[in-house]
Amino acid sequence: MASAVCGDCFVSPPPLRHVVAAFRYAFPVDRMVQALKYGGQLAVASCLGDALAYAVLQQRMPDVAVPDIVIAMPLAVARQRRRGFNQAGEIARRAARALDLRCESGLRRVRDTPPQASLPWAARARNMRDAFAATRRFDGKRVALVDDVMTTGATLHAAARVLRQAGAASVDAWVVARTLR
């Protein structure tokens, strides 16, 4: 089935072309994400990355081209130093390997922001303004941007806008779990 574009999206196209979510953000997946993110249980990333790769294959739309590269959502330097790893990076590497795609860098967090989970939904887009920068060009590349959880989409949209400004032909979001409104 071909995808359709709504009137609002036709007038003001969103920066993301397609979103794939492996799960709804609810029990037991929420506990798994938290165990990885806050408990340092890195083995969970393998399971979540494999599940994400499977979802990408299952939800693949015929009119949506396969990405050229996979990029993990970057953490602020201080947050990654405290945590010791980037959970999105761990998931992205596993999913990319399972899909035989390249996982690369090229996006960095330039502004440390309060955690999105601590903010009301309406404030999240403002919190992400100017939070990311591309470290290279992506001219003509199709990019899959990987994160653990998508709630409002503000973080992924902000990063996707930066990738598009750096020349990416398209940006898809691949997330382990999505909060449903």
Side-chain angles (χ1 to χ4, degrees):
M1 176 179 187
S3 59
V5 177
C6 72
D8 289 343
C9 293
F10 186 75
V11 172
S12 180
L16 293 171
R17 173 181 66 162
H18 183 64
V19 175
V20 171
F23 302 102
R24 185 170 49 93
Y25 191 63
F27 183 81
V29 174
D30 58 345
R31 301 302 192 275
M32 293 173 71
V33 168
Q34 292 166 15
L36 170 61
K37 198 170 182 171
Y38 305 116
Q41 295 182 23
L42 293 174
V44 174
S46 293
C47 176
L48 297 178
D50 285 345
L52 181 56
Y54 181 77
V56 166
L57 291 173
Q58 294 301 306
Q59 297 178 37
R60 183 159 165 10
M61 296 169 57
D63 61 336
V64 176
V66 174
D68 300 304
I69 57 174
V70 174
I71 296 178
M73 182 64 70
L75 283 177
V77 173
R79 194 167 296 148
Q80 184 162 340
R81 193 174 298 126
R82 275 192 310 274
R83 199 171 284 167
F85 63 96
N86 176 353
Q87 74 280 356
E90 299 296 323
I91 294 164
R93 274 190 292 283
R94 182 65 179 223
R97 188 177 321 122
L99 295 166
D100 198 28
L101 296 171
R102 291 189 337 253
C103 189
E104 299 182 5
S105 60
L107 186 64
R108 67 184 174 95
R109 193 88 173 232
V110 294
R111 194 166 60 78
D112 195 359
T113 59
Q116 290 288 82
S118 69
L119 299 172
W121 283 27
R124 293 178 181 201
R126 186 172 51 255
N127 187 46
M128 288 293 106
R129 194 172 299 134
D130 301 321
F132 301 101
T135 60
R136 64 186 182 98
R137 298 290 306 166
F138 291 95
D139 296 323
K141 298 288 185 192
R142 295 178 306 264
V143 178
L145 186 58
V146 174
D147 206 358
D148 54 353
V149 178
M150 180 179 189
T151 303
T152 64
T155 305
L156 287 158
H157 281 122
R161 277 194 278 294
V162 167
L163 292 169
R164 297 295 301 266
Q165 289 166 357
S170 64
V171 181
D172 295 337
W174 293 354
V175 298
V176 169
R178 186 169 187 175
T179 301
L180 302 178
R181 293 183 187 205

